[in-house]
Amino acid sequence: MRINGLEQPVAPKAVDIAGEPGIGKSRLLGETCARARQAGFTVLSGTPCCAPLPW
């Protein structure tokens, strides 16, 4: 996994991770956030507070 280049002005400021259940979205996001934090990035995350949950 590479996070090189995220400090560049043209780097994405936000990402949307979508896909079918069970393909590893949460794992991908967790690993990416951990590596970004280790590299000195500030990582923000959240959950919807007012939207109904799909389950």
Side-chain angles (χ1 to χ4, degrees):
M1 179 185 315
R2 293 178 48 191
I3 60 170
N4 301 23
L6 289 179
E7 71 281 353
Q8 301 299 318
V10 295
K13 304 301 181 202
V15 296
D16 181 30
I17 298 176
E20 296 297 317
I23 64 168
K25 298 178 299 291
S26 296
R27 172 76 187 257
L28 171 66
L29 190 55
E31 291 290 328
T32 302
C33 289
R35 291 177 188 221
R37 284 185 185 103
Q38 289 173 350
F41 290 95
T42 299
V43 178
L44 304 175
S45 63
T47 57
C49 65
C50 302
L53 297 175
W55 54 89

